[in-house]
Amino acid sequence: MHFDGVMILGKELRRNRERALAELRARAAGAAIALRNGATEVAALEAPLVGQEEAGSIIVARFLRELGVDDSQMILAQVTRSTREEAVEGARVAREQGWRRMLVVTAAYHVERARKQFEEVLGADRVAVFAPESLLQHANALERQWILEGKAGDTAHAEERMVEVLFSVFALGLRVLPPKVRWDVEIWAGAKFRGMTDAQ
């Protein structure tokens, strides 16, 4: 397992806050494992989303600190509101930091769609997308606890898979567009339906 950097994908809190926070803790634990096994930096880029008081990246940073990750290893921003935007901004961070290979950590139900989007932007040889439980063999006691607590149960997994199918169908409908135009539409849609506005 060799990665130069790791990125933690965000999770909307408004549908089920406690479960979402448990998932973010699990993702932070996965990132901490990657840092201990050769990655030099971790990126968290999620902006404040509808129904949240603070950005997901700030929440994740707190979890990382609890796991002993130093602030000097964190790349934090408040810019992403969708998986596509995470892929585009994550690729930018990877280029700026000189990462040859990046690990992306997200929930098991999200791995497939996230992998497609990150590979489209970065290339399959430069990115891998794992769920935190894929890293359990390298976990310490606290990381293991957080990963197991954050794993979606059968009902939650089924619900989230339905959401993933809807997003995938939306993306499929945009396939007729050139990639850059399609990405811009997906980013716009994420900002429109999930991002905070001045009125909120």
Side-chain angles (χ1 to χ4, degrees):
M1 178 175 78
H2 176 73
F3 301 98
D4 301 298
V6 56
M7 181 173 174
I8 302 170
L9 298 195
K11 174 65 181 170
E12 199 172 10
L13 303 186
R14 64 177 160 171
R15 283 192 290 135
N16 187 326
R17 181 180 177 83
E18 290 310 309
R19 181 163 64 80
L21 289 171
E23 285 190 23
L24 288 176
R25 274 192 294 273
R27 297 177 197 193
I33 292 167
L35 288 169
R36 202 168 54 252
N37 283 273
T40 57
E41 296 162 308
V42 54
L45 309 178
E46 190 177 58
L49 303 181
V50 171
Q52 296 177 206
E53 301 80 30
E54 59 185 349
S57 55
I58 300 304
I59 296 168
V60 163
R62 282 201 300 272
F63 295 150
L64 289 168
R65 290 183 190 108
E66 285 187 57
L67 293 165
V69 177
D70 193 82
D71 281 25
S72 64
Q73 293 180 281
M74 299 182 205
I75 299 167
L76 303 175
Q78 300 182 30
V79 294
T80 63
R81 296 145 302 182
S82 65
T83 304
R84 176 61 71 189
E85 196 164 20
E86 287 177 318
V88 170
E89 291 296 323
R92 179 187 58 76
V93 168
R95 286 191 298 269
E96 289 176 354
Q97 301 303 121
W99 296 348
R100 291 163 296 173
R101 194 151 186 259
M102 177 169 69
L103 171 65
V104 175
V105 183
T106 190
Y109 57 76
H110 187 226
V111 164
E112 182 181 351
R113 185 165 64 91
R115 179 181 293 124
K116 286 178 183 176
Q117 296 198 8
F118 273 83
E119 287 183 354
E120 280 182 337
V121 177
L122 266 174
D125 59 329
R126 296 201 53 207
V127 64
V129 183
F130 290 170
E133 48 267 36
S134 299
L135 303 165
L136 268 173
Q137 62 180 325
H138 304 289
N140 63 30
L142 181 56
E143 291 161 352
R144 173 176 290 275
Q145 177 188 334
W146 282 13
I147 289 170
L148 293 176
E149 289 173 350
K151 185 177 178 182
D154 291 344
T155 301
H157 187 86
E159 290 172 356
E160 294 289 358
R161 284 301 302 158
M162 287 301 298
V163 173
E164 290 298 305
V165 167
L166 291 173
F167 280 127
S168 295
V169 169
F170 172 70
L172 191 61
L174 298 176
R175 283 284 177 185
V176 296
L177 300 173
K180 180 65 169 68
V181 175
R182 175 163 43 92
W183 300 350
D184 286 345
V185 170
E186 290 174 351
I187 289 170
W188 173 85
K192 178 76 173 173
F193 295 107
R194 297 180 71 204
M196 297 289 281
T197 67
D198 292 339
Q200 289 168 320

